[in-house]
Amino acid sequence: MMTLESLQKQFKTLRLAETSEYLPDLIRCAESKDWTYRELLTEMASYELKRRGEKQIERQLKWAAFPAHTTLEMYNLNEQQTLSQKQIKQLSELTWIDQLYNLVLLGTAGVGKTHLATALGIKAVHQGYQVMYITMEELIRHLKAEEFTRKAQIKMKRIRAANLVIIDDLMFMAMDQREANLFFHLINDLHDKASIILTSSKGPSEWGDLLGDQGITTAILDRILHRIEVIQFQGEDSHRMKNRTSIFKEESVQNQLAKSVHFYLTLTTYKQNYKKQRN
């Protein structure tokens, strides 16, 4: 008579590794509940498919390289004035990915752009989409190294094969001619093949100065803006500043310093907006 261990080895040989691990529990359950052969086989097949799906999601989340595991349920609508509950629900339905729409999330640091982008990306992974997250700095580094290193080639291959690509901190620094060209070719590769979420503290009107080439800027915008939803976070304080924690219960020098920094950031933003209006 074949032992349980031998049976488990045969399951592994047949590449039913998940069922192999769970087999002792399945057999005990079948005996205690008087399952028929069909019921046992149904449970085995269901368990294997369920675990394969979970493993696939785990792999996709690992490959996506999200900066944190933030979800839409964790997104506090009360701390922002831009999106309504209805709009969040529409975004979470993810139909815009199938329609190849792009999202551009604009706003100052700390207003929740990365949180929202990541939460939508994680939701997309659980819905079966291939998603890749990358910061602009890391993206440029991989684009420049793609010709030479295996690691960069694998990363860029996954980005080009994704259904949704999230590029965080877009245009946070100026690019040289080669970097701008590499970025344009990537956007061109993704155009009409994937949706893109871009987060940036700078609006499209400022991208030309950072790309250094008006022709490349126009070509990139032409592809990104073809089908797009722009979400401008306006008049909002940094969530990090509002939700900061302190080791001191009472007012302290550290707390007063944090308030001073918050006041400085608010004043700087006001001055910048005022200057733009005057110009």
Side-chain angles (χ1 to χ4, degrees):
M1 182 176 179
M2 182 176 291
T3 65
L4 181 60
E5 289 77 11
S6 298
L7 190 58
Q8 285 180 291
K9 287 181 180 178
Q10 288 191 345
F11 271 86
K12 287 183 178 178
T13 302
L14 292 170
R15 297 185 178 180
L16 298 171
E18 300 300 331
T19 301
S20 173
E21 294 293 330
Y22 192 53
L23 191 59
D25 292 331
L26 277 172
I27 291 176
R28 281 194 295 269
C29 193
E31 290 173 345
S32 66
K33 296 183 179 181
D34 292 326
W35 283 350
T36 64
Y37 294 126
R38 177 177 292 182
E39 287 174 326
L40 176 58
L41 289 171
T42 299
E43 287 295 322
M44 290 169 59
S46 298
Y47 181 78
E48 182 70 28
L49 289 172
K50 175 176 175 289
R51 286 299 297 142
R52 286 189 181 189
E54 292 171 347
K55 288 282 188 180
Q56 178 66 16
I57 288 175
E58 290 171 9
R59 282 193 296 270
Q60 290 294 335
L61 288 173
K62 181 179 179 181
W63 290 343
F66 294 113
H69 193 85
T70 53
T71 65
L72 288 171
E73 289 71 26
M74 296 164 60
Y75 193 73
N76 193 339
L77 282 171
N78 296 325
E79 292 189 353
Q80 57 86 40
Q81 308 165 25
T82 303
L83 293 168
S84 65
Q85 183 69 54
K86 181 180 179 181
Q87 289 171 322
I88 289 289
K89 183 178 180 181
Q90 286 178 313
L91 289 174
S92 68
E93 290 173 352
L94 304 177
T95 55
W96 50 273
I97 297 179
D98 297 323
Q99 297 166 354
L100 297 176
Y101 262 79
N102 301 318
L103 298 181
V104 175
L105 310 182
L106 301 175
T108 55
V111 296
K113 302 186 302 296
T114 300
H115 184 147
L116 179 58
T118 300
L120 289 171
I122 289 175
K123 174 83 171 183
V125 169
H126 283 276
Q127 293 297 319
Y129 295 98
Q130 293 186 51
V131 183
M132 290 296 295
Y133 168 95
I134 193 166
T135 64
M136 188 66 177
E137 180 182 14
E138 185 185 4
L139 176 61
I140 294 300
R141 188 165 64 248
H142 278 86
L143 283 170
K144 292 167 72 174
E146 186 177 10
E147 187 178 350
F148 310 104
T149 69
R150 178 66 175 163
K151 181 180 178 181
Q153 290 167 1
I154 293 173
K155 186 79 170 183
M156 295 311 304
K157 182 178 180 181
R158 287 175 179 166
I159 287 174
R160 291 187 177 93
N163 305 115
L164 173 63
V165 178
I166 301 170
I167 304 176
D168 203 7
D169 283 336
L170 184 73
M171 305 301 177
F172 81 106
M173 64 178 186
M175 299 183 205
D176 61 30
Q177 184 71 35
R178 178 171 177 250
E179 292 168 345
N181 273 314
L182 289 171
F183 182 57
F184 161 71
H185 284 296
L186 174 64
I187 295 299
N188 192 52
D189 289 342
L190 296 176
H191 180 56
D192 276 342
K193 297 176 184 176
S195 288
I196 308 171
I197 297 179
L198 305 173
T199 77
S200 180
S201 60
K202 297 177 175 62
S205 61
E206 301 175 82
W207 294 0
D209 295 334
L210 295 168
L211 287 168
D213 187 305
Q214 193 58 49
I216 291 178
T217 303
T218 302
I220 289 174
L221 288 174
D222 179 63
R223 285 153 180 79
I224 292 175
L225 302 179
H226 183 206
R227 286 182 294 270
I228 192 171
E229 184 68 44
V230 178
I231 300 173
Q232 173 76 60
F233 291 85
Q234 296 181 353
E236 297 178 20
D237 296 329
S238 169
H239 293 176
R240 300 187 191 101
M241 291 297 296
K242 287 191 292 187
N243 296 307
R244 69 184 185 277
T245 58
S246 173
I247 60 175
F248 302 103
K249 292 183 179 179
E250 298 178 357
E251 188 71 10
S252 63
V253 174
Q254 284 83 353
N255 284 335
Q256 295 203 13
L257 177 59
K259 287 183 177 180
S260 297
V261 172
H262 173 63
F263 174 77
Y264 172 77
L265 291 174
T266 303
L267 182 60
T268 301
T269 302
Y270 173 81
K271 287 181 176 178
Q272 290 174 344
N273 291 336
Y274 179 76
K275 185 177 180 182
K276 288 179 181 177
Q277 290 174 359
R278 288 292 300 273
N279 294 337

